[in-house]
């Protein structure tokens, strides 16, 4: 043994891999290395509770310094790996920009994703920000007190969450979405429409089908966003949230197959059969029971980073474990809490369970008689029922589920009881 396991990327997936390995009793050296100058921290609250000042910096941290020391996980901050030399047996050396070298017996890539850049004039003006990491979030939060008008470009989860937070913080927010509906990549039309109505009602000015022509200056800073129809929306701050790209450069440089992420198998092993790749950077076989053969997915979620890291931890200890559970995701947007269970790809009909009086709203996605997924707004019971039914491969009969007064759990239980 020369270097043990080197995990590049010390965020959700890297941390989960290191902690899962120790939980499995793996005793070898583990180096958890990242290029940020912070202790490993969780990202989700950066656009939500933390931005709004509801929680402290400390509460974002994954683990205490004592945990890392006790579990002999060597956490290395502020080192960016720029080159890797790897042998066929999986061992090698990673070279950091600083000149430091990190030898390893096995390598894990948990390098995540980076924001897709907007390619229009004016994006480099001061006051045009992205939101992926703690430094981005610190800059955004520091600027908020001096800002009145905010334009958010991108109506995906991060754009909407940040828009909702900034609105709650008293800013005047316009959100621009290029598509005809919000979060079109992740939810169906009913959920998009519900989110649109809700966020408009809270005061966010949402422009759909918006084509950004350029970002215009005011003095030497950002001053507004010009749309293709000639309108100029005033902005003291522009936040761009137009998706992320997986960081595959290191993987490609050592010859690993990549295609919208590092291609891995069911055990999180890359194409060389020894390196693992986990989290937002990995492209994996669709883990949902009953998924079409050969179907692949790349998730951008905490749940996936944790589950895939567990699978990878087994693989690194010579055991095989299938991806457990059903993919799920959450997005808190102001007072609205969206939870998504399963993957709706390939659905052919939907069912809406709406309880306006209690602010609950769920959309269930079916293919034929089979439930595939659900988007649940402020409806944790529906979310848990669908997640459980998917995990147990139960049916949630469409007609029975259509009664919003009937708990979904009882619908699934009925079938199990009779079947
Ligand atoms: C603002 C925000 C809100 C979010 N909200 C939610 C939510 O509500 N629910 C949810 O499920 N998910 C949410 N997500 C997504 C979730 O945070 C990600 O899915 C998760 O962080 C992925 O973890 P990861 O470890 O795979 O990648 P990342 O978190 O991207 O971490 C990768 C790490 O590797 C480092 N790195 C990259 N290249 C190198 C290199 N060459 N050398 C050294 N280090 C390197 C990066 O700097 C980074 O620290 C949110 C994300 C953001 C940004």
């Amino acid at each position: 043994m020369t270097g043990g396991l080197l995990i590049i990327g010390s965020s959700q997936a890297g941390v989960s891999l290191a902690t899962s390995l120790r939980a499995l009793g793996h005793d070898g050296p583990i180096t958890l290395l990242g290029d940020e100058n912070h202790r490993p921290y969780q990202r989700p609250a950066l656009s939500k509770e933390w931005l709004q000042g509801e929680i402290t910096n400390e509460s974002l941290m994954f683990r205490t310094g004592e945990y890392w020391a006790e579990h002999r996980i060597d956490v290395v901050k502020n080192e960016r790996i720029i080159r890797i030399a790897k042998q066929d047996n999986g061992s090698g050396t990673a070279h950091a920009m600083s000149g430091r070298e990190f030898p390893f017996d096995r390598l894990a890539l948990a390098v995540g994703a980076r924001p897709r850049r907007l390619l229009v004039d004016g994006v480099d003006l001061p006051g045009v920000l992205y939101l992926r990491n703690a430094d981005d979030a610190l800059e955004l939060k520091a600027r908020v007190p001096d800002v009145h008008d905010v334009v958010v470009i991108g109506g995906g989860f991060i754009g909407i969450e940040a828009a909702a937070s900034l609105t709650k913080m008293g800013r005047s927010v316009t959100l621009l979405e290029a598509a005809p509906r919000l979060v079109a990549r992740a939810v169906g039309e009913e959920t998009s429409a519900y989110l649109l109505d809700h966020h408009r009602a809270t005061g966010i000015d949402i422009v759909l089908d918006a084509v950004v022509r350029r970002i215009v200056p005011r003095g030497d800073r950002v001053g507004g966003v010009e749309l293709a129809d000639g309108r100029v929306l005033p902005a003291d701050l522009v936040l761009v949230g137009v998706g992320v790209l997986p960081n595959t450069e290191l993987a490609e440089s050592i010859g690993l197959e990549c295609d919208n992420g590092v291609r891995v198998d069911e055990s999180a092993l890359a194409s060389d059969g020894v390196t693992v790749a986990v989290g937002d950077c990995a492209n994996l076989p669709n883990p949902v029971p009953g998924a079409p053969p050969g179907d692949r997915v790349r998730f951008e979620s905490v749940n996936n980073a944790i589950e895939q890291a567990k699978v990878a931890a087994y693989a690194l200890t010579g055991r095989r474990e299938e991806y457990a559970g059903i993919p799920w995701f959450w997005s808190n947007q102001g007072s609205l809490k969206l939870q998504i269970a399963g993957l709706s790809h390939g659905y052919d009909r939907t069912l809406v369970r709406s309880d306006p009086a209690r602010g609950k709203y769920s959309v269930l996605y079916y293919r034929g008689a089979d439930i595939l997924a659900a988007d649940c707004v402020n409806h944790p019971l529906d979310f848990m029922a669908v997640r459980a039914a998917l995990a147990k491969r139960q049916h949630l009969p469409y007609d029975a589920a259509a009664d919003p007064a009937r708990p979904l759990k009882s619908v699934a239980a009925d079938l199990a009881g009779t079947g």
Side-chain angles (χ1 to χ4, degrees), residues 39 75 91 94 100 135 141-142 163 181 184 203 236 246 260 266 277 284 289 296 301 322 369:
R39 275 161 51 209
V75 177
S91 69
R100 273 180 79 182
D135 288 342
K141 198 171 183 174
R181 62 187 182 88
D236 310 310
N260 181 29
E266 288 78 3
L284 60 147
R296 299 186 71 87
S301 75
E322 297 273 312

Side-chain angles (χ1 to χ4, degrees), residues 53-121:
E54 289 173 5
I55 60 170
T56 61
N57 293 2
E58 195 55 34
S59 64
L60 298 179
M61 301 303 155
F62 278 108
R63 299 282 184 170
T64 59
E66 292 79 54
Y67 173 90
W68 300 122
E70 258 171 43
H71 291 79
R72 293 175 297 101
I73 296 170
D74 185 13
V75 177
V76 178
K77 297 188 301 185
N78 211 14
E79 290 288 356
R80 181 162 184 80
I81 300 302
I82 50 169
R83 192 168 65 79
I84 297 171
K86 187 181 72 67
Q87 321 300 321
D88 288 345
N89 68 3
S91 69
T93 303
H95 299 264
M97 201 158 23
S98 66
R100 273 180 79 182
E101 293 183 359
F102 296 88
F104 57 84
D105 297 313
R106 288 292 284 274
L107 177 66
L109 294 171
V111 288
R114 60 177 178 274
R116 188 190 292 277
R117 300 283 149 180
L118 191 66
L119 298 173
V120 296
D121 284 349

